[in-house]
Amino acid sequence: MTDLPGEPARVTFAVDVQNLRPCHRCGGDPYLAVTIPHATMSGNRTIPLCPRCDAADSVSHGLLAFFAVHSAVAESNTNVFQELARQWVAAKLQQPGTVTDDTFQTEVDAWRAGEFD
Amino acid sequence: MATRLGRGAGGVGGAVEGVGSVDSFVHLHVHTEFSMLDGLARHKPLVEEAARLAMPALAITDHGNMYGAYSFWSQARKVGVKPIVGIEAYLAPVDRFHKKPVRWGTPDQRGDDVSGSGAYSHMTMWAQDAVGLRALFKLSSLASIDGYYFKPRMDRELLATHAKNIIATTGCPSGEVQTRLRLGQAEEAYKAAAEFQEIFGKDNFYLELMDHGLSIERRVRDGLLDIGKRLGIPPLATGDSHYVTKDQAKAHDALLAVQSGSQLDDPNRFKFDGDGYYIWSAEEMRGLWDNQVAGACDNTLAIAERIGSYDEVFAESSRMPLFPVPEGEDQMTWLVKETWRGMERRFRGEPLPQEYRERVEYELRIIEQMGFPAYFLVVADLCNYARSQRIRVGPGRGSATGCMVAYALGITELDPIEHKLLFERFLNPERISMPDIDLDFDERRRGDMIRYVSDKWGADRVAQIITFGTIKAKAALKDAARIMHGQPGFSIADRISKAMPPAVMGKDISLSGVYNQQDPRYNEAVEIRTLLDSDPSTRAIYDTALGLEGVIRQPGVHAAGIIISDAPLLDVIPIWARPQDGATITGFDYPTCESMGLLKMDFLGLRNLTVLDDAVDNIKANRGLDFDLDSLPLADDAAFELLARGDTLGVFQLDGGPMRALLRAMAPNKFEDIAAVLALYRPGPMAANAHIDYADRKNGRKPVVPIHPELETPLAEILDETYGLIVYQEQVMAIAQKVAGYSLGGADLLRRAMGKKKKEILDKEFVGFEKGMQDHGFSAGAIKALWDILLPFAGYAFNKSHTAGYGIVSFWTAYLKANFPAEYMAALLTSVGDDKDKMAVYLAECRRMGITVMTPDVNASDLRFTAVGEDIRFGLGAVRNVGAGVVDSLVKTRRESGPYSGWKDFINRSEISVCNKRVLESLIKAGGFDSLGHTRRGLLEVHEQSVDAAVSDKRKKEAGQDSLFDFGTAEIADLSESLLPTPGETEWDRKTKLGFEREMLGLYVSSHPLAGAERILKANSELTIAQISNEELTDGTQVVLAGMLTSVAKRITKQGKVWASATLEDLDGGIEVLFFPNTYELVADRLADELVVAVKGRVNRRDNEAAKINAQDLAILTVTDADLEKHPPIVLTMMADRVQPAMVARLQEIFKMHPGDHEIRIKLMRPHGGGTLLRITNYSVNPTTAFWSEMKTEPAVTRE
């Protein structure tokens, strides 16, 4: 468990590198998943880091490069990893975490029109 | 139009008057929609087409039934077309009792042989007059009762017995004569024609000729005409019509594909060749036939001329059975005696008050005038029988509760005078109509009541009532899509259906209404019109569906109705025997039976009466109390307190969420409030806010405002009980009587007129109303004020007789729930049977009420749920795979020779039916053997071997071998010893154990995977899942729910996007949650079975389906093992640098003041990250509201 710097929003997040579920997008093995507090609800959300799906995501490049070089987190590179992880989570926290009402309603309408089946 | 035909052939023809011109024609072979899924023609457009074509008469000849006879007869008469009622009958190839396929030809002639794979041939017949029509009714009925084999079949014996005044033909190509000819059996064909001619008479038998351009019609034409010539059978041209106009051929083709379950592009499907199966004009028919077979068309006119009147058959005449009365009595004198005897019983010998005496005399007078004394005697007899058999009867339903005679006879249980119920609302002397008393019975015993009626009045005079299921809009779309696209068509149909406006009161807009600007719902159908206009393939489906919509699909049976006749029904109407069980069903629907004067009664099975009876039995079993609901005063503090709290889950008619909210606002404290709330909780009064007004006025939150100052006093006695509001129809009637001088009968007519809201009628009624009020001295202002109030409320107001009658059941159920909670809830749980959703709701209610529901136990459970002290024991009958027979055996053994002492004892003593691996596995997993001292896991491991050993021995015993080796018991015991679970065997973990329990019981009983996590769920949700349905939240309401995800399923849209559905469960229930693609993308990493989550989304409630949640977001909730503990630890968080001695002392003080079992943990956080978790060892607390209030005084400490 580690904390993100900066006041007043102190965010604690947990990094999991074991017992990972397959990436929900491609089914491949992610490098890690972080659990962070949900921005608008009580409870948490998790974000996986997937070498395939996040390859085009610039905020993930640092951590992806870390795993490409080190394969795993070891005592010798913990600090580097922690810093990269902090930066990555901080960036992820900035990314939209909800579906807008308009987008949501469009999908509800599409489903009601039978376009999903 | 009087003309001479003079063109008849074969001896028929001659003078025909009044049946059209010489160039006319009468269609005599016509299938309508009553030839189900084969005929498309509806009666009204059919007869209108015949009238348009100037045809003097028209026949119907539906396949094997006469169900459409009355409707056709009445429709034809309306347009001046003479109705000819007939049938295209099925004839058994041997006799009607021979129910095996019959072949007349060689194997290579199969295609030409007996129709229906050897089951029947066809014959066309018409009723010449009333005598013939009754004969056809009888023939078609007996064909169903005796001769059913794929189709209802007659035979020569039946025809010979009932042929009088029936005109018949050789039939279509599927007729016996043409079939024989096709098979090359000319002599047999001749013989058959001669036999039929003999049966029907030379003048009543015709040679039927059809020509739709089919080879099957022409192949044997010469042979057929030859037989006609030899036997002197006159020719008759028919059209085999199946639809009205030529343009309906495509729709008819679609109907046939629906019937055969095939697709339109299937080359081998059953279909008609060509499009000539419509009502041809006379010109077309004569153009085809006059030159081919002279007289064939003329003879249709000749037959039409010979058809007499059917009026006598269809006319209304009293067919009410007479009640057997003692010698010297008639129906009326006996009713009078029985009524006074009943009043004496009601008043327990006390002198009858004058008001009651007068009311009884008045009602008896009206009943006699209207000619219904027998009706009351018949109904009273039914109720008395039910009571004598301990079959609970509803205390009153509908307007009959306003009848004092019914109260005296024990038909109802509510004193109409005491409750201000009016007789005229039931029987209006100024409007003659049959009385209609609907009876509610314990639903398990409804069958007993039908049997009694059948025994009492004769099985031949009693029948259930047919209904006709039609193809509704959405089903038509589905059928059309399937026949056009096969299985994939269903999803297209679903898409179109979903674009339709939502159903209103369960009714969809009609397909024709989608493009009909006159349709009241036209404006709501923009979405579907847009879809259809933009997508030709969906439009094609719609167009096909349009042709199918509304057509009869199949016959059904009315859920409650029974017909009782004074004469055998075979002599009155067509009847049929349901093939599955032989039950006798009428061939005419209820309105037709009623219009013919047949007595119809509704026997309704009411689940709540079953609950009441079971609850009373439970009270006796659990407390030894004999309890009589009927003598219960309608006042009880505990019951009204329960109602005022809105704790009415499971209370009859007061069970829904908004209703419970209304009860809380109303705080009922008298029986009249229950009747009022049942009347007010309806769309009309609710739209007028009358329900809230009642609650507010009753509780002084709003003043009671008179309708007009002049009316305050005169209307006080009528409206005081409802705080000045008009709630009941009876009040509308009483007001008209009181202030405008109406008779109560006249007031009932006024009320009905007001309800119809037609301006011209209302204007007319107002004249009389105004005059009446003026005569009573009221001002114009008062008259206008009252009229303006009465008008809308007369439409909204409800029948008090009904709500009061049903209010008793509501009161009884509330009373039992309040005073005998375990006994009542046990009965309620039993009643919901396999409805696990309902059961989960009621189990949660038990938990809320502090009632423990224990898992089933072979040593304690019965078939049903039972009350045990203050708790409830699960019934064994509710365990999956365990039937009533097994439970009976198990309980019988236990009662006869004592409780089971262990697994071995159970196996040894149980009957062989119980020693079934599947049954035992289910009972083990459900916890049924927990009391025997073994783990479920251990028993599951050995149960199969135990059964194998025991069954083998039991079979030997049954075979008598134990008499040779009479030491079997010891052997089983020895064998069983080795088949006991290993001592010390550990139990499954909680999750597995509960998972199995749920598999067998449908829900978690001994615990719940989320038990202990209530606090977390509550903190992270706005509502429980049960509240979503109970509160009836509207479509689109945003909610946050918390629970456990199960059944997570990934799905793919047509565009290839991933979305998912899952079930979210909390301790009270479950709900389907949909994660559409964008939401899925956001939350997919958190979607997994058994994760505890909070879901934010919107309620999706459309088309009367169960509510769903369309998710917008999701958060994972952390539930630790500690959370699931009974006394989870209290975690307090504080910043380490803010801890001061004074604060610590204060905390100690609070901990001391609230001692309890919850451990305290303190999370000390460091200013720059990280922290320490401390466990307090000196104190444990009880985290009450007071505890947390005091904790709030320490702002540096926060609760986690």
Side-chain angles (χ1 to χ4, degrees), chain A residues 1-3 7 10 12 21-25 27 34-35 38-48 95-101 103-105 107-117, chain B residues 494-495 498-499 1020 1035 1040 1051-1055 1059 1074 1076-1082 1084-1088 1094-1096 1098 1100 1102 1108 1110-1118 1167-1170:
Chain A
M1 184 181 282
T2 184
D3 297 335
E7 292 291 344
R10 167 180 291 276
T12 302
R21 296 172 54 209
C23 171
H24 65 274
R25 294 160 290 183
V34 293
T35 302
H38 195 287
T40 58
M41 298 172 70
S42 54
N44 301 316
R45 49 189 283 229
T46 57
I47 306 171
Q95 290 180 347
T98 54
V99 178
T100 66
D101 281 351
T103 308
F104 174 73
Q105 194 54 47
E107 292 199 321
V108 172
D109 292 343
W111 172 71
R112 284 184 171 166
E115 288 170 18
F116 283 8
D117 294 307
Chain B
D494 199 37
R495 193 173 148 216
K498 282 179 174 165
N1020 290 285
D1035 186 55
V1040 179
R1051 298 155 81 168
I1052 310 287
T1053 69
K1054 283 178 198 158
Q1055 292 75 29
W1059 65 293
L1074 306 178
F1076 296 136
N1078 275 296
T1079 308
Y1080 179 81
E1081 176 69 21
L1082 186 72
D1085 52 283
R1086 286 156 269 167
L1087 287 183
V1095 171
K1096 183 159 80 182
R1098 292 186 184 274
N1100 180 68
R1102 290 191 111 194
K1108 296 181 176 70
N1110 295 334
Q1112 284 175 289
D1113 209 341
L1114 176 146
I1116 298 170
L1117 304 177
T1118 308
H1168 300 291

Side-chain angles (χ1 to χ4, degrees), chain B residues 906-939:
Chain B
F906 179 86
I907 292 290
N908 281 343
R909 282 203 283 143
S910 292
E911 290 178 343
I912 202 158
S913 63
V914 178
C915 284
N916 169 303
K917 288 175 188 172
R918 205 153 154 247
V919 166
L920 294 184
E921 180 185 337
S922 301
L923 285 170
I924 291 166
K925 287 178 171 175
F929 295 105
D930 287 0
S931 65
L932 300 188
H934 303 292
T935 61
R936 296 182 192 183
R937 181 182 178 182
L939 283 183

Side-chain angles (χ1 to χ4, degrees), chain B residues 857-859 889-890 892-912 914-915 920 929 931-934 939 942 946-947 950 953-954 957 969-970 972-981:
Chain B
D857 182 351
V858 292
N859 265 336
S889 164
L890 191 156
K892 187 172 138 247
T893 305
R894 186 179 82 203
R895 289 201 174 128
E896 282 175 359
S897 49
Y900 303 104
S901 60
W903 174 251
K904 189 175 71 180
D905 181 46
F906 179 86
I907 292 290
N908 281 343
R909 282 203 283 143
S910 292
E911 290 178 343
I912 202 158
V914 178
C915 284
L920 294 184
F929 295 105
S931 65
L932 300 188
H934 303 292
L939 283 183
V942 301
S946 301
V947 169
D953 189 77
K954 284 172 200 285
K957 272 189 170 183
T969 307
I972 293 174
D974 290 340
L975 192 58
S976 301
E977 290 291 353
S978 63
L979 297 175
L980 283 173

